[in-house]
C-alpha cells in the first residue's frame, strides 16, 4: 500500500480533504478507494506474525482493530474536522457510548444538556448510573445551570447543538470554558450541525461524535459512527477500549461513508438552501404555530447559532395548530415528504417526536423540551425546494 494522499496537508480546505483525505492506493493505482472486505490478514512467516502482534512492525492484524478501508474513512474524517485522529464505529450510538465509557469509571459524574437524542439521553440518564457514574441533566441554554451543575468529580460534559428535536442552540465556547475550568472534557454530538457547518473542536470541544448514518451517508443506506479527538485521547482512552469491546464498523459501510464524504459539502449546502425556503414558507402560515429553525431570525438564539454555524442546517421543527390530530392529518397528506424517523437523507423525512423518537419520555419531560403534541420534525432533503414548499402547502390545505 502506498499512501499517495498526504492527510498531514492540513492547509487544504475541508472540501479538498473530503475528496482526497486519507486515500491509500494499492499497487493497482485505482482512482476510487478500494473496498477491503476482509476480517483478517496473512503474514509472510510466523516471525512476521509475532512482530506484527508485538507492534514491532506496522500492518493490519484483524479488522476488529483496523482495516484499510475503515482507516481511509477515519483519516478523511480527521482531515475534514481538523482533528488529530478519528475512529469509526458501527453506529452513532456505539460512538457516543464508547466516547463516554472509555474515559469514565465508577464515582465519576457527567453533566449534560437535557435536550438530547433519545438514546443519548438513555446512556446519560439510565445506563451510566447503573455502573456508578452519576449524571445531571440541565437546560443547556442556561450558562448558570452549567456552572451550578459542575461537581468536584465531573469528568465529562456532554451536549448536542442544535438539539433534537427542537433545535436548541448551546454556547459551545462558554460551556467548554466551564468544563475545562473544572478539569472535565467536553464531548459534543455534532450530528445536526454536520462537519460542514460547525467545527466544535475549534470552539473548544475535546471530543466530537457523529452518527454517520445521517448526513455523512446522506442517502439512508448504512449505519455508522465516528469519534474525533486529539491523539492523546485516542491513544490513552479510546483505541484500546474499541479494540477490546469491538463496536467496529463493517468495511463495506465504511466504504459507502468514505465515498459519501466526497459530496458532503455540496449536499449540506443544498440541504440548507432548501431548508431556508421551507422554513420561510412555514413561518406565519395560519395553520402553523411555532417554527424552530436556527437560520430564522425568529429563533431565540439565531445570533448565537449563526456565530457557531455557517448555515442553519436542514432540520426544522414546527407545530401544527390543532395538536396530534392535525399534525397526523397533515403528515398523512404529504406526497413527496416521507414519514420516517431517520434524518439527513436526500429524501425529505418527517416524524412526530411525541409518539416516536421521544415517546419514552414522560409528558413532563416532553413539555420541558418543548415537544408539543402538534410538533413535527422535518429533515429537509435534496428535492427541488419549490416542490417541497408546494407539498407542504397542499397537505396543510387538507388540515
Ligand atoms: C441518529 C442520532 C444518533 C445515533 O446514531 P445511530 O447511527 O442511529 O446509532 C445520535 N445522536 C444524534 C443527534 C442522532 O441524530
Amino acid at each position: 500500500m502506498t499512501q499517495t494522499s498526504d492527510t498531514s496537508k492540513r492547509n487544504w480546505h475541508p472540501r479538498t480533504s473530503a475528496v482526497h483525505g486519507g486515500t491509500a492506493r494499492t499497487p493497482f493505482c485505482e482512482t476510487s478507494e478500494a473496498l477491503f472486505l476482509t476480517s483478517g490478514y496473512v503474514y509472510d512467516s510466523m516471525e512476521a506474525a509475532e512482530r506484527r502482534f508485538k507492534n514491532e512492525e506496522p500492518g493490519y492484524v484483524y479488522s476488529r482493530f483496523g482495516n484499510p478501508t475503515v482507516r481511509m474513512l477515519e483519516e478523511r474524517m480527521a482531515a475534514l474536522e481538523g482533528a488529530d485522529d478519528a475512529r469509526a464505529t458501527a453506529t452513532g450510538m456505539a460512538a457516543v457510548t464508547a466516547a463516554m465509557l472509555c474515559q469514565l469509571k465508577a464515582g465519576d459524574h457527567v453533566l449534560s444538556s437535557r435536550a438530547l437524542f433519545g438514546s443519548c439521553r438513555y446512556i446519560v440518564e439510565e445506563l451510566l448510573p447503573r455502573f456508578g457514574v452519576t449524571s445531571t441533566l440541565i437546560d443547556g441554554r442556561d450558562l448558570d445551570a452549567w456552572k451550578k451543575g459542575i461537581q468536584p468529580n465531573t469528568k465529562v460534559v456532554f451536549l448536542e447543538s442544535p438539539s433534537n428535536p427542537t433545535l436548541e442552540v448551546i454556547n459551545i465556547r462558554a460551556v467548554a470554558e466551564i468544563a475545562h475550568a473544572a478539569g472535565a472534557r467536553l464531548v459534543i454530538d455534532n450530528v445536526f450541525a454536520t462537519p460542514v457547518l460547525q467545527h466544535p473542536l475549534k470552539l473548544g470541544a475535546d471530543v466530537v461524535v457523529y452518527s454517520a448514518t445521517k448526513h455523512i451517508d446522506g442517502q439512508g443506506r448504512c449505519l455508522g459512527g465516528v469519534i474525533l479527538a486529539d491523539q492523546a485521547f485516542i491513544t490513552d482512552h479510546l483505541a484500546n477500549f474499541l479494540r477490546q469491546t469491538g463496536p467496529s464498523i463493517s468495511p463495506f459501510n465504511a466504504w459507502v461513508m468514505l465515498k459519501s464524504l466526497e459530496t458532503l459539502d455540496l449536499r449540506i449546502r443544498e440541504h440548507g438552501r432548501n431548508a431556508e425556503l421551507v422554513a420561510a414558507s412555514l413561518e406565519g402560515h395560519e395553520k402553523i404555530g411555532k417554527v424552530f429553525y436556527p437560520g430564522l431570525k425568529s429563533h431565540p438564539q439565531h445570533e448565537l447559532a449563526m456565530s457557531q454555524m455557517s448555515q442553519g442546517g436542514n432540520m426544522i421543527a414546527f407545530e401544527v395548530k390543532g395538536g396530534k390530530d392535525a399534525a397526523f392529518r397533515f403528515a398523512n397528506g404529504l406526497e413527496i415528504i416521507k414519514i420516517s424517523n431517520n434524518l439527513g437523507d436526500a429524501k425529505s423525512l418527517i416524524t412526530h417526536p411525541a409518539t416516536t423518537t421521544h415517546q419514552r419520555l414522560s409528558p413532563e419531560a416532553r413539555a420541558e423540551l418543548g415537544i408539543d403534541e402538534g410538533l413535527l420534525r422535518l429533515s429537509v432533503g435534496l428535492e427541488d425546494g419549490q416542490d417541497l414548499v408546494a407539498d407542504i402547502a397542499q397537505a396543510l390545505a387538507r388540515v
Side-chain angles (χ1 to χ4, degrees):
M1 293 282 288
T2 49
Q3 186 88 18
T4 54
S5 283
D6 184 0
T7 45
S8 67
K9 282 181 187 150
R10 292 284 160 77
N11 57 343
W12 282 348
H13 289 93
R15 279 174 68 163
T16 306
S17 294
V19 176
H20 291 284
T23 304
R25 294 199 165 81
T26 74
F28 296 118
C29 300
E30 64 283 352
T31 313
S32 173
E33 295 74 2
L35 166 55
F36 291 91
L37 202 54
T38 183
S39 44
Y41 305 86
V42 295
Y43 313 98
D44 288 343
S45 64
M46 297 300 277
E47 290 78 7
E50 185 179 8
R51 287 194 300 276
R52 203 67 72 82
F53 265 82
K54 287 181 176 166
N55 254 334
E56 290 167 3
E57 70 173 32
Y60 292 98
V61 172
Y62 190 52
S63 285
R64 169 151 50 79
F65 320 159
N67 170 283
T69 307
V70 175
R71 192 61 197 145
M72 286 192 263
L73 170 63
E74 292 168 345
E75 291 195 5
R76 186 164 293 180
M77 276 299 299
L80 183 58
E81 193 78 36
D84 283 355
D85 204 354
R87 287 290 183 278
T89 56
T91 64
M93 283 323 302
V96 172
T97 308
M100 297 277 191
L101 289 184
C102 79
Q103 58 175 324
L104 289 165
K105 60 178 186 330
D108 290 343
H109 172 250
V110 174
L111 178 61
S112 169
S113 57
R114 66 190 180 195
L116 295 178
F117 180 73
S119 298
C120 295
R121 186 152 165 163
Y122 164 80
I123 302 288
V124 173
E125 201 172 26
E126 294 184 39
L127 182 75
L128 293 177
R130 275 174 38 200
F131 298 91
V133 177
T134 55
S135 60
T136 314
L137 291 161
I138 55 151
D139 180 346
R141 295 165 297 183
D142 178 356
L143 288 178
D144 278 338
W146 287 106
K147 285 182 198 143
K148 289 200 193 97
I150 292 279
Q151 296 179 11
N153 56 341
T154 304
K155 290 288 156 51
V156 170
V157 171
F158 182 70
L159 65 86
E160 193 178 304
S161 179
S163 71
N164 179 20
T166 49
L167 291 301
E168 287 180 8
V169 176
I170 296 175
N171 187 331
I172 296 174
R173 251 185 244 280
V175 176
E177 272 175 32
I178 294 166
H180 295 158
R185 281 195 194 87
L186 175 59
V187 179
I188 294 198
D189 180 335
N190 203 40
V191 169
F192 272 38
T194 80
V196 173
L197 302 181
Q198 177 169 274
H199 310 287
L201 296 175
K202 293 197 179 77
L203 297 169
D206 302 286
V207 181
V208 180
V209 293
Y210 288 103
S211 164
T213 314
K214 311 296 168 54
H215 310 79
I216 291 175
D217 174 301
Q219 289 155 78
R221 298 161 295 188
C222 293
L223 294 158
V226 184
I227 306 166
L228 299 115
D230 65 17
Q231 201 58 61
F233 180 83
I234 290 185
T235 308
D236 299 347
H237 298 283
L238 187 63
N240 196 45
F241 179 90
L242 293 176
R243 180 181 177 125
Q244 310 297 354
T245 61
S248 326
I249 188 170
S250 149
F252 177 79
N253 290 3
W255 179 82
V256 171
M257 306 292 182
L258 178 71
K259 299 304 292 175
S260 285
L261 283 180
E262 296 177 1
T263 57
L264 182 68
D265 190 285
L266 289 173
R267 289 186 284 110
I268 295 303
R269 289 183 199 286
E270 200 53 39
H271 273 293
R273 272 190 283 273
N274 271 350
E276 283 165 12
L277 272 179
V278 170
S281 83
L282 289 167
E283 195 168 48
H285 191 288
E286 55 175 3
K287 293 183 179 172
I288 298 291
K290 288 188 201 138
V291 179
F292 304 89
Y293 181 62
L296 281 178
K297 289 212 170 57
S298 59
H299 188 285
Q301 299 148 297
H302 173 69
E303 294 200 352
L304 172 63
M306 292 302 102
S307 74
Q308 298 186 155
M309 297 168 67
S310 53
Q311 213 183 18
N314 82 312
M315 301 300 297
I316 305 175
F318 57 94
E319 293 170 1
V320 181
K321 287 181 186 167
K324 181 180 163 184
D325 282 353
F328 272 33
R329 231 173 307 130
F330 164 71
N332 286 334
L334 291 165
E335 287 165 1
I336 298 171
I337 299 168
K338 302 297 173 218
I339 299 167
S340 172
N341 49 284
N342 200 8
L343 60 98
D345 196 297
K347 295 180 171 65
S348 291
L349 304 174
I350 197 159
T351 193
H352 183 248
T355 52
T356 61
T357 56
H358 291 71
Q359 54 85 20
R360 202 182 59 82
L361 295 184
S362 65
E364 298 75 38
R366 276 200 295 273
E368 240 176 34
L369 298 176
I371 304 174
D372 185 270
E373 288 293 310
L375 187 85
L376 292 168
R377 186 196 73 190
L378 173 62
S379 169
V380 179
L382 295 175
E383 302 92 341
D384 187 291
Q386 296 300 343
D387 288 345
L388 296 176
V389 168
D391 193 25
I392 289 169
Q394 67 78 22
L396 278 175
R398 303 190 198 191
V399 176

